Amino acid sequence: MMAKDMRVAYLLDFYGDLLTDKQRDSLDYYYNEDLSLGEIGANLGISRQGVRDNIKRAEAILFEMEDKLGLAQKFTLIDDSLELIKKHIDIIDNRNMRVYRSNDINESIKVILKELDKLDKLK
């Protein structure tokens, strides 16, 4: 029995198109659908060992791509930063409403939130 590394499911979203159809399907069935190697083999018309080989080869490709390109890591860092920015915008907005009541700050907050919304739609 292979131990599942759930990072693979995440990396599959970023680099899945670089895999063969059978490799991508094998990983999808294994990580996202939680099928056994035998069930995957039956679905793909290959042996259990063939499924295992596809999974191992595909995992290696995904990890190699992430090591070289780092897209998943960059996405996570950007996503975390956007959430932190939103949190602090709320703090500034609340403080402005209670203390300063500045129209300039309100307008700046609106501009920042509009830009954050654009970035969120890119995800």
Side-chain angles (χ1 to χ4, degrees):
M1 184 107 186
M2 296 187 303
K4 288 188 180 180
D5 183 344
M6 296 314 292
R7 292 176 299 165
V8 174
Y10 189 60
L11 295 177
L12 187 58
D13 290 337
F14 288 90
Y15 306 110
D17 289 341
L18 300 174
L19 303 173
T20 67
D21 290 341
K22 281 194 178 179
Q23 287 172 336
R24 186 176 44 254
D25 291 344
S26 294
L27 287 180
D28 184 50
Y29 285 139
Y30 188 69
Y31 285 97
N32 297 326
E33 302 295 327
D34 202 29
L35 298 182
S36 70
L37 298 181
E39 291 169 322
I40 297 168
N43 286 348
L44 298 178
I46 59 177
S47 70
R48 209 177 155 281
Q49 184 62 43
V51 172
R52 185 184 184 290
D53 291 345
N54 277 340
I55 290 172
K56 288 300 180 189
R57 224 175 285 120
E59 287 173 342
I61 291 168
L62 294 180
F63 286 120
E64 180 181 355
M65 288 297 103
E66 181 60 13
D67 285 345
K68 288 181 179 179
L69 301 174
L71 296 178
Q73 181 182 11
K74 289 174 188 171
F75 180 86
T76 300
L77 290 172
I78 290 169
D79 196 46
D80 291 347
S81 292
L82 290 173
E83 289 305 313
L84 185 62
I85 291 168
K86 288 176 191 175
K87 176 184 171 187
H88 285 276
I89 287 294
D90 286 342
I91 292 168
I92 293 167
D93 189 34
N94 288 331
R95 176 93 173 165
N96 184 48
M97 297 301 261
R98 286 185 285 119
V99 178
Y100 304 113
R101 293 178 169 68
S102 166
N103 287 331
D104 289 340
I105 293 174
N106 279 340
E107 288 306 310
S108 292
I109 289 171
K110 287 178 186 175
V111 169
I112 293 168
L113 290 174
K114 186 176 180 180
E115 293 304 310
L116 287 172
D117 189 46
K118 287 181 192 176
L119 293 172
D120 270 342
K121 289 178 182 175
L122 293 175
K123 296 196 277 186

